[in-house]
Amino acid sequence: MKTTFRWYGEGNDTVTLEQIRQIPSMTGVVWALHDLAAGEVWPEARIAAVKAQAAQYGLNIDVVESVNVHEAIKLGTPEREQYIENYKESLRNLGKHGVKVVCYNFMPVFDWMRTDLFHPMADGATALFYDASAMEGLDPKALVKSVEEGSNGLTLPGWEPERLAHLDKLFDAYKSVSEDDLRRNLKYFLEAIIPTAEQAGIKMAIHPDDPPFSIFGLPRIVKNYADLKAILEMVDSPSNGLTLCSGALGPNPDNDLVQMIHDFHDRIPFAHIRNIKRFPNGDFIETSHMSSDGSLDIAAIVRAYHDVGFKGYYRPDHGRHIWGEQCRPGYGLYDRALGIMYIQGVWDMCEKAARGQA
Ligand code: DNO
């Protein structure tokens, strides 16, 4: 499997390409044109510029995370036709510059959700935290307002500003959208874009809902084994694949990551590997990658990837904030680099065992 690292781009990330390339086993950056709104076409010149930048450090740009899907596509409104055309054009442009995997999600309105981005841990580190009771009865519009006003100390990285701007209208629009409607709209989208992805040499990789259950009463359709299977069956093509994210699926103890890897591996072009610790009241916190620090057996997950002969891309996912690092929440250098070394250590041991040397 190939090691990659998420990079938000020059001037938009505290981590440099120089630092990234010094992490052992590194092959490429996972990137995006973060300034473009969902639905805009990704211009070839911009893609070429990122490719040239990364190449200076010997890194590839094979994996994009994410080409975001416009809400009109998720809602299934008539404007979706134009946005689907734009999406196809972006895929063609990305394919021309050698991009192999495009990660995306189909979460209505919000991307991932946490209630505390810098939750203190016993050893003085901080990490992303989800407080289940704080979410109960929380009005998302009030939440976003307080974030904008800076009155609760929260920022919401990964939430696209253009989504927040139309929040009121969006929530109203989703009132009449059931999970089945959302599934139909995803199928419509996939049927339209997968042939283009195939021609462009790109594997689409849907990211699970994070957390893997409904929030704010919105429909969620990428949260468990049955959902993933149904999505793979919507269009039976190697270009219709998964970003198997252990941390996103992990808050639901019924989600058996090892089984998913065994059953879906030929449709997993991209793996996100990280640990979380679940608490009995439904809270969870993002821990170090080590199996003994969290509720997920990361060593068993890495071994499962080895067992199935996984040749795709993986990245360590969020890390804790340690050693005083100031960084984007979850996206510092240190803990993610430690995560990679843990993952690679397990992988090397699996290799040796397979050769009868351990
Ligand atoms: C969080 C990420 C997500 C992910 C998108 C994929 O750190 O894993 O924001 O990039 O959901 O579209």
Side-chain angles (χ1 to χ4, degrees):
M1 65 181 183
K2 297 183 271 280
T3 308
T4 59
F5 204 77
R6 194 171 199 183
W7 182 61
Y8 281 89
E10 207 77 63
N12 199 23
D13 201 318
T14 53
V15 184
T16 65
L17 292 173
E18 174 78 17
Q19 290 167 329
I20 294 172
R21 79 155 159 196
Q22 289 172 356
I23 302 169
S25 77
M26 189 55 57
T27 65
V29 286
V30 172
W31 64 286
L33 298 177
H34 290 280
D35 58 310
L36 296 187
E40 277 186 58
V41 175
W42 288 30
E44 264 200 69
R46 297 278 317 272
I47 300 166
V50 179
K51 186 174 181 172
Q53 255 179 335
Q56 281 176 16
Y57 295 87
L59 299 166
N60 68 54
I61 57 154
D62 291 3
V63 184
V64 167
E65 177 175 348
S66 313
V67 181
N68 286 320
V69 177
H70 195 276
E71 295 295 333
I73 295 176
K74 297 180 211 164
L75 285 163
T77 58
E79 299 82 54
R80 71 176 155 180
E81 302 304 336
Q82 184 57 48
Y83 289 117
I84 286 175
E85 287 313 310
N86 290 1
Y87 207 98
K88 288 189 200 166
E89 197 169 337
S90 294
L91 291 182
R92 281 190 288 265
N93 290 348
L94 289 165
K96 279 185 210 157
H97 293 274
V99 166
K100 306 274 188 298
V101 177
V102 169
C103 171
Y104 69 104
N105 72 73
F106 219 72
M107 289 177 246
V109 191
F110 299 108
D111 197 331
W112 54 298
M113 178 70 206
R114 299 287 181 275
T115 56
D116 187 353
L117 300 176
F118 297 100
H119 195 75
M121 303 177 94
D123 60 5
T126 61
L128 303 173
F129 179 70
Y130 184 90
D131 180 331
S133 60
M135 282 294 288
E136 268 168 42
L138 187 70
D139 173 8
K141 295 176 192 172
L143 171 75
V144 169
K145 193 155 179 287
S146 67
V147 169
E148 281 167 354
E149 289 168 355
S151 57
N152 65 356
L154 256 184
T155 52
L156 300 172
W159 291 26
E160 301 131 38
E162 78 274 6
R163 290 200 205 190
L164 301 185
H166 308 288
L167 204 73
D168 283 33
K169 267 198 259 155
L170 268 180
F171 266 96
D172 292 342
Y174 275 105
K175 272 191 190 137
S176 57
V177 177
S178 67
E179 287 199 349
D180 280 343
D181 294 330
L182 193 60
R183 250 179 228 113
R184 260 191 298 277
N185 296 340
L186 174 58
K187 185 164 193 272
Y188 186 91
F189 171 65
L190 289 173
E191 283 173 346
I193 64 148
I194 293 299
T196 308
E198 285 170 349
Q199 282 157 20
I202 286 176
K203 290 184 174 163
M204 296 299 300
I206 195 166
H207 189 283
D209 304 331
D210 184 357
F213 40 78
S214 172
I215 56 168
F216 303 128
L218 293 163
R220 297 275 228 188
I221 57 165
V222 199
K223 47 192 188 322
N224 54 33
Y225 187 98
D227 284 352
L228 298 177
K229 187 164 180 288
I231 291 167
L232 294 177
E233 285 168 358
M234 282 177 188
V235 177
D236 189 15
S237 157
S239 280
N240 175 26
L242 309 173
T243 298
L244 198 76
C245 178
S246 61
L249 292 162
N252 179 353
D254 295 336
N255 280 338
D256 181 342
L257 269 300
V258 169
Q259 189 191 353
M260 291 175 185
I261 294 163
H262 278 281
D263 292 359
F264 302 138
H265 65 90
D266 55 343
R267 302 284 289 277
I268 304 175
F270 188 29
H272 283 183
I273 303 180
R274 82 175 142 88
N275 212 341
I276 53 126
K277 186 173 172 57
R278 293 186 294 259
F279 297 97
N281 63 357
D283 295 355
F284 63 88
I285 190 159
E286 302 195 0
T287 63
S288 91
H289 282 68
M290 255 174 71
S291 293
S292 51
D293 277 348
S295 303
L296 305 182
D297 189 346
I298 296 295
I301 287 171
V302 174
R303 189 174 57 200
Y305 280 117
H306 189 271
D307 287 349
V308 300
F310 183 63
K311 296 207 170 36
Y313 301 86
Y314 87 92
R315 71 170 178 87
D317 208 348
H318 307 158
R320 302 161 301 147
H321 318 109
I322 59 172
W323 303 336
E325 187 176 18
Q326 304 290 320
C327 56
R328 300 180 74 97
Y331 284 99
L333 171 65
Y334 305 141
D335 203 36
R336 286 188 295 157
L338 289 177
I340 288 178
M341 293 323 296
Y342 181 73
I343 291 165
Q344 287 299 319
V346 174
W347 184 270
D348 280 356
M349 195 49 78
C350 292
E351 290 276 274
K352 278 181 184 290
R355 291 199 298 262
Q357 295 169 346

